[in-house]
Amino acid sequence: MRKLTALAATTLLVAGCAAEKTAAPPPATLTVWADDSRAAPLRQIAAAFEKDRGVQVKIVQKAMGNLRDDFVSQAPSGQGPDVIVGPHDWLGKLVQNGVVAPLDLSAKAALFSEAAMRAMTYDGRTYGLPYAIESVAVLRNTKLVPAAPATFDELVARGKSLVKAGKSTYPVGLPVDPKAGSPFHLYALQTSFGSQVFGPDGKLEIDNPGGLKFAAYLKRLAADKAVSTSLTGDIATNAFVKGETPFLVTGPWDAPALAKAGVPFAVDPVPPAGGEKARPFAGVQGFFVSAKSASPILANDFLVNYLATPQAQKALHAAGGRPPAMTSVREELAADPVLAGFATAAADGVPTPNVPQMDAVWADWGLSQLAIITGRGEPAELTRKAAERIRAKIGS
């Protein structure tokens, strides 16, 4: 009896050891943070990666407004994601905080536009995989305005005449955040006066002679009711859908919803208000790998071999409407007039600065615009004081 018991025990021990040796390790998990417009197509792309690589991909949907700062705060402790999606102008802060890793795109770089690759480069190193290039443009209701105005003054005049005729409620749908102003949407007009955020030497230029002319012009737009703090992004878009404004200054992110609403519209570059070409901010959307990722090889594999493909670029475009950064895909979709219109607008744009100093620019810049729009001071003085506050913050 004792021999049988001992034999049984030995058999169980051997079986247990064999089970331990043959038990498969749990699959690796890759976590991706994305906003609502990118989460759905990413889940589809991730399904193929999971099947091919035997890993799990967790797509976590987060609000875009919190995504970057949450990543910067959580990544150092290893609590953040392996991959995030966002605009290129995050790059300076991400690199400064040591939370993103360089990406080897040498085998795929030629597939993307040079502008897109430059935007994803910081201090000579590539950190992001681009997938879309975007900028604001003017959406024009073709039923109300059959031809594109040549200047912004002409655009405003056309809008005002429609309001006077009772065919519109607002001359222009130019979104203004009542708390933060509208530096992003107004930038194309500001550049047409010869003003930009930073000059070639890196110095702040929002209060140069062109910037002061733009400030005076902004006051005039407010007097014409072409800009107003009561016309937020949502209200402006809704007004365009209802035919209450002939023009909407927005980006490709609004195009899919407007197309579904059946609004007859064309996409035109922002016309100039000053004597130079209007150059909006151009943003490049892309993917970044965490420097603290527990699975950096898998993360790079996902980006280079699954996201840097025509299929992935098409899926992301279909979900969000942004013009693809991959040259062949953008050319393939060029027959789409909406995509072509936004691509043309972005081609005239200038990349949003991706330096860390931009974080200190937006608030004072926007608040000075709000003060001008609401008539709380003289435009040139408000602009100069905002610039002084910004220089004090960035040491320039």
Side-chain angles (χ1 to χ4, degrees), residues 43-269:
R43 289 190 181 97
Q44 297 174 3
I45 299 165
F49 184 72
E50 290 178 319
K51 182 179 178 181
D52 295 345
R53 299 294 190 258
V55 302
Q56 293 181 347
V57 181
K58 185 179 180 183
I59 309 295
V60 179
Q61 185 172 311
K62 291 183 69 71
M64 183 55 70
N66 302 325
L67 200 152
R68 185 195 67 171
D69 291 343
D70 285 353
F71 176 61
V72 169
S73 65
Q74 294 183 36
S77 64
Q79 300 301 309
D82 300 281
V83 175
I84 63 168
V85 57
H88 79 277
D89 55 302
W90 287 359
L91 197 50
K93 185 168 183 177
L94 298 180
V95 174
Q96 185 183 56
N97 283 274
V99 294
V100 286
L103 190 63
D104 182 8
L105 283 181
S106 56
K108 296 288 183 84
L111 300 177
F112 300 92
S113 70
E114 290 184 15
M117 292 305 301
R118 282 198 305 271
M120 289 298 180
T121 301
Y122 191 84
D123 281 347
R125 306 183 78 179
T126 301
Y127 286 90
L129 169 73
Y131 89 83
I133 303 178
E134 62 189 8
S135 76
V136 299
V138 174
L139 274 58
R140 170 174 49 87
N141 185 313
T142 52
K143 187 176 180 180
L144 293 172
V145 186
T151 66
F152 206 79
D153 280 342
E154 183 184 334
L155 183 151
V156 172
R158 184 71 176 123
K160 288 174 66 178
S161 69
L162 288 167
V163 172
K164 187 176 181 179
K167 296 180 180 180
S168 292
T169 304
Y170 309 100
V172 186
L174 208 171
V176 175
D177 186 316
K179 294 183 179 178
S182 197
F184 182 81
H185 287 84
L186 290 168
Y187 192 64
L189 300 180
Q190 183 160 344
T191 58
S192 74
F193 285 96
S195 178
Q196 54 190 333
V197 187
F198 297 112
D201 57 359
K203 300 296 185 182
L204 190 73
E205 288 195 355
I206 63 170
D207 61 339
N208 71 357
L212 300 184
K213 289 179 182 177
F214 166 71
Y217 183 75
L218 183 58
K219 180 179 180 180
R220 203 174 97 203
L221 288 180
D224 285 337
K225 301 188 186 322
V227 290
S228 167
T229 55
S230 63
L231 204 64
T232 63
D234 288 343
I235 294 174
T237 301
N238 190 50
F240 190 76
V241 168
K242 292 180 177 180
E244 294 175 350
T245 180
F247 305 104
L248 175 65
V249 180
T250 190
W253 46 86
D254 275 339
L258 292 172
K260 287 181 181 178
V263 183
F265 69 90
V267 180
D268 307 317

